[in-house]
Amino acid sequence: MANTPSAKKATRKIARRTAINGARRSRVRTFLRKVEEAIASGNKDAAVEAFRAAEPEMRRAASKGVFHRNTVSRKISRLSHRVKAIAEA
């Protein structure tokens, strides 16, 4: 248990940050789910639109430190290849 005033403040800050990061992570997952569903349905237009909406959200989460930037880059790259494959098919 925190005893010093600075440790108590740090605990409050961590709790606040955890809530914010959880919301951001959830938001990114929602956007990713929409892309995955569009790819699974085979709808080219929906997949492209969902991907265009998801990419900036993922980059924003990486810039805020919610996800590592290399992880986001890898996921975006793999998603873009899958969306492109649908678009060409």
Side-chain angles (χ1 to χ4, degrees), residues 7 11 23 30 35 41-42 44-45 50 55-56 62 64 68 76 78 80 82:
T11 303
T30 300
V35 176
S41 71
K44 176 183 80 164
D45 296 332
E55 184 178 1
K64 302 291 184 186
H68 194 278
I76 288 172
R78 290 178 181 174
S80 68
R82 291 172 61 197

Side-chain angles (χ1 to χ4, degrees), residues 56-69 72:
E57 282 298 325
M58 295 172 72
R59 297 243 186 245
R60 194 171 299 118
S63 73
K64 302 291 184 186
V66 178
F67 295 107
H68 194 278
R69 58 188 172 84
V72 169

